[in-house]
Amino acid sequence: MENKAGSAVKPSEMELVRQLEYIRMIREKNDAFEMANGRKKKFYSLAMGCQMNAHDSEKLEGMLTEMGFESTDVEKEADFIIYNTCCVRENAELKVYGKLGWLKHYKEVKNPDAIIALCGCMMQQETVLQTLRQKYRHVDIVFGTFNLYKLPELVATRMESDRTVYDIWQEHKEVVEDLPIIRHFPYKASVNIMFGCNNFCSYCIVPYVRGRERSRTPEDILAEVRKLAADGVKEVMLLGQNVNSYGKNLDNPISFAELLRMVNEVEGIERIRFMTSHPKDLSDELIKAMAECEHVCKYLHLPVQSGSDEILRRMNRHYTKESYMEIVRKAREAMPDITLSTDIIVGFPGETEEDFQKTLDVIRESRYGSAFTFIYSKRTGTPAAVMEDQVPEDVVSDRFNRMLDVLNPIVHEVHEEQVGKVMTVFAEEVSKQNSSILTGRTDNNMLVHFPGTEDMIGQMVPVKIIDNKTFYLIGERI
Ligand code: SAH
Ligand code: SF4
Ligand code: F3S
């Protein structure tokens, strides 16, 4: 295979060409629809779950836009509805089934020609596919996490036949670069640095639905970041389930710390964030790189999950409370202004009151600026699902509330420490409640509301912090 310049064409480039051809075919049909009906077909896109899914949906939306659909926020006027699903906890799945019930009615009564597509993590589970085949036959297109780039082909196939199109792969075959994309924010963007996860934490479904860990090459990542910078993007979020193992399996191995230093050199990028960082292999080299790179934000999301060594062992996390606290100490020593955040699971099988108290100790000692807190959710197929001593619901919800009683005052205090300071806030959007207020984030990831006008969006604004609302700050321009 050769392209015009005579250099070899990679298979993924061929695949991109194929999909662009499907996009062109669908666009012709959609343009004809617009000529006949005086309006474009509309799509409604919903991303559930984590930032990976949000970023994948940006690509889905980019492809749909190229196909000649226009985006709508009003689901009940859409001709094409796509949910990018999550299955990390049971309630994420229940939400999808609830919405599918509504969509059945929508299709029967309002818009029989509407196309309903489901994709993402939930679709990688055989039990879900069986349920869809039996109970939700009004779904038109189903695909998973490994073949997102095939959306144009699947839409074209569905337009040609009236049968549901299923296309689920069990593993990753190739990364297709340079898909069309609609970024949700003009000035900040996410960049995948790796896909999948090899850690198999015993409660977690992600490795089963996202496959084995694969890193993109630094060249591809840097090319994307440079392109984003040229487009006016000032903040990038580097995404991976465990960024600390980035690059280890590349033909030319490289560490995440080295990658950070390279991204730090890209002209025009003023802020670099990353997630998620697994405590088991967070290196001194990374702390040093964070401290030395002027554009890397002084903020670290470091999921602890539990403070009990016994629970951590059974979670298969490969660190102890002590080694976790050691990272916290080192990070604070290298970057005194750093803010930490975390993920915590309450009610893992076998968790005793004593184990739970150790989680509260970690919260007190780590002094998080924010935390994502979850009630343990049993995921069929994971080792934890068959562990004995599942904790009763009432005990878990009591612990969960007591955890918030410890956590929230700390979050409040950490925010209170900012009052009186002048901080640089990256103005991100106009507040939904009040059009004279802008919202943005500080380097250390605190949310700030301050008076401003739309033209300031995308700028770094010096703001004096004057009040603390626990989960966000109020500022005034100076
Ligand atoms: N790769 C990231 C986390 C991805 S999932 C990491 O390892 O840090 C995001 C969070 O969801 C996890 O950190 C965990 O706190 C939570 N989570 C995952 N599986 C869960 C389950 N079965 N029940 C409750 N919370 C879960
Ligand atoms: Fe899940 Fe653990 Fe992988 Fe995070 S590191 S995605 S919690 S298995
Ligand atoms: Fe993310 Fe949910 Fe999948 S957390 S990786 S969208 S299971």
Side-chain angles (χ1 to χ4, degrees):
M1 277 179 284
E2 299 232 315
N3 67 11
K4 275 187 237 127
S7 60
V9 175
K10 289 188 270 175
S12 65
E13 291 175 18
M14 292 300 292
E15 193 50 50
L16 179 63
V17 171
R18 274 186 76 231
Q19 298 304 326
L20 292 177
E21 180 56 22
Y22 283 113
I23 287 181
R24 195 192 55 75
M25 280 158 47
I26 299 165
R27 186 170 195 120
E28 271 176 18
K29 288 193 180 172
N30 281 347
D31 287 350
F33 176 91
E34 187 182 352
M35 290 288 280
N37 296 278
R39 69 165 186 96
K40 272 181 179 276
K41 283 198 175 182
K42 293 180 178 174
F43 76 83
Y44 174 85
S45 155
L46 176 67
M48 298 164 168
C50 65
Q51 306 224 12
M52 300 269 175
N53 261 17
H55 187 46
D56 283 349
S57 283
E58 293 185 324
K59 297 176 192 167
L60 296 168
E61 290 160 25
M63 290 187 272
L64 287 166
T65 305
E66 293 290 311
M67 289 176 217
F69 292 96
E70 86 184 344
S71 161
T72 175
D73 293 336
V74 186
E75 192 168 5
K76 57 182 191 293
E77 58 182 39
D79 305 284
F80 190 101
I81 293 167
I82 183 158
Y83 299 157
N84 192 2
T85 61
C86 170
C87 55
V88 79
R89 286 169 291 275
E90 190 186 17
N91 51 13
E93 295 196 344
L94 296 178
K95 187 171 167 193
V96 173
Y97 288 129
K99 285 179 82 62
L100 285 181
W102 175 83
L103 280 180
K104 183 157 197 267
H105 175 80
Y106 176 69
K107 239 179 128 160
E108 278 167 5
V109 179
K110 287 275 176 62
N111 189 350
D113 295 329
I115 295 183
I116 299 167
L118 298 178
C119 63
C121 296
M122 193 176 157
M123 303 304 129
Q124 292 294 142
Q125 301 171 97
E126 191 48 45
T127 50
V128 170
L129 300 180
Q130 276 169 14
T131 311
L132 292 178
R133 286 197 173 97
Q134 284 162 7
K135 292 199 200 152
Y136 300 92
R137 302 177 65 94
H138 54 293
V139 173
D140 298 281
I141 299 173
V142 180
F143 58 105
T145 55
F146 301 113
N147 51 351
L148 179 111
Y149 67 84
K150 280 187 73 184
L151 176 70
E153 184 173 348
L154 303 178
V155 174
T157 310
R158 181 65 185 86
M159 282 176 157
E160 296 296 316
S161 92
D162 48 6
R163 297 182 53 187
T164 302
V165 180
Y166 283 91
D167 195 13
I168 311 286
W169 295 2
Q170 289 317 313
E171 59 175 309
H172 189 85
K173 293 181 189 154
E174 57 189 344
V175 179
V176 177
E177 300 278 348
D178 301 324
L179 292 174
I181 187 161
I182 299 282
R183 281 188 278 108
H184 290 161
F185 294 92
Y187 303 103
K188 62 171 190 174
S190 299
V191 176
N192 292 118
I193 63 166
M194 58 203 299
F195 303 93
C197 180
N198 284 354
N199 291 308
F200 291 94
C201 301
S202 63
Y203 50 82
C204 184
I205 193 94
V206 171
Y208 304 88
V209 296
R210 286 272 176 176
R212 295 293 62 72
E213 207 170 271
R214 308 165 300 278
S215 295
R216 287 175 75 201
T217 63
E219 294 75 25
D220 281 343
I221 295 168
L222 287 169
E224 183 174 340
V225 175
R226 286 194 196 105
K227 198 157 159 265
L228 290 168
D231 252 16
V233 166
K234 293 183 180 171
E235 176 174 316
V236 289
M237 165 76 89
L238 308 178
L239 289 179
Q241 292 297 354
N242 175 14
V243 295
N244 296 331
S245 58
Y246 169 77
K248 289 183 181 157
N249 297 322
L250 283 171
D251 291 343
N252 297 315
I254 152 173
S255 70
F256 178 57
E258 287 172 288
L259 179 75
L260 262 191
R261 288 184 189 274
M262 291 173 177
V263 178
N264 191 56
E265 296 302 314
V266 176
E267 188 94 19
I269 297 298
E270 297 184 33
R271 281 187 179 175
I272 303 161
R273 301 188 188 278
F274 56 87
M275 73 186 306
T276 299
S277 202
H278 194 305
K280 84 178 155 71
D281 32 28
L282 193 143
S283 63
D284 292 349
E285 186 201 3
L286 177 65
I287 294 179
K288 194 158 183 288
M290 283 182 77
E292 288 175 4
C293 291
E294 59 165 318
H295 299 301
V296 174
C297 292
K298 305 305 174 252
Y299 166 76
L300 183 61
H301 181 63
L302 195 63
V304 68
Q305 314 299 0
S306 167
S308 152
D309 289 350
E310 174 56 16
I311 297 289
L312 287 171
R313 189 184 64 74
R314 295 204 292 123
M315 284 179 162
N316 197 29
R317 291 288 288 180
H318 296 279
Y319 55 84
T320 60
K321 180 195 168 204
E322 197 38 51
S323 64
Y324 181 92
M325 292 312 307
E326 179 67 17
I327 299 172
V328 171
R329 270 192 294 278
K330 282 183 183 167
R332 288 233 150 92
E333 199 176 284
M335 295 163 277
D337 288 339
I338 197 170
T339 302
L340 298 174
S341 72
T342 198
D343 291 349
I344 298 169
I345 298 177
V346 178
F348 184 81
E351 183 190 75
T352 62
E353 178 62 26
E354 204 186 336
D355 294 320
F356 171 67
Q357 287 298 333
K358 290 177 182 160
T359 300
L360 298 184
D361 289 343
V362 172
I363 295 175
R364 291 188 192 101
E365 289 168 40
S366 304
R367 301 190 57 73
Y368 299 113
S370 63
F372 300 90
T373 50
F374 307 105
I375 285 181
Y376 167 72
S377 172
K378 190 177 185 175
R379 304 285 63 209
T380 306
T382 63
V386 291
M387 285 181 188
E388 287 171 7
D389 305 326
Q390 303 276 330
V391 185
E393 249 177 63
D394 54 336
V395 176
V396 180
S397 71
D398 174 61
R399 282 182 196 160
F400 191 79
N401 292 334
R402 284 191 285 139
M403 173 177 65
L404 295 185
D405 290 343
V406 172
L407 177 65
N408 290 345
I410 290 173
V411 171
H412 187 87
E413 281 167 30
V414 174
H415 279 74
E416 190 67 29
E417 286 160 15
Q418 318 300 320
V419 176
K421 285 188 193 168
V422 173
M423 303 178 95
T424 303
V425 178
F426 183 37
E428 288 178 10
E429 53 187 339
V430 176
S431 158
K432 289 182 185 76
Q433 282 81 36
N434 180 342
S435 61
S436 64
I437 299 288
L438 298 182
T439 65
R441 286 187 184 268
T442 59
D443 178 293
N444 61 2
N445 208 34
M446 292 193 175
L447 192 62
V448 183
H449 294 203
F450 63 100
T453 46
E454 200 166 350
D455 55 302
M456 294 166 67
I457 291 179
Q459 293 176 17
M460 299 287 169
V461 187
V463 168
K464 181 167 184 197
I465 306 301
I466 54 169
D467 200 5
N468 164 23
K469 302 282 183 190
T470 303
F471 302 109
Y472 64 97
L473 298 165
I474 305 287
E476 65 182 18
R477 271 160 54 209
I478 52 163

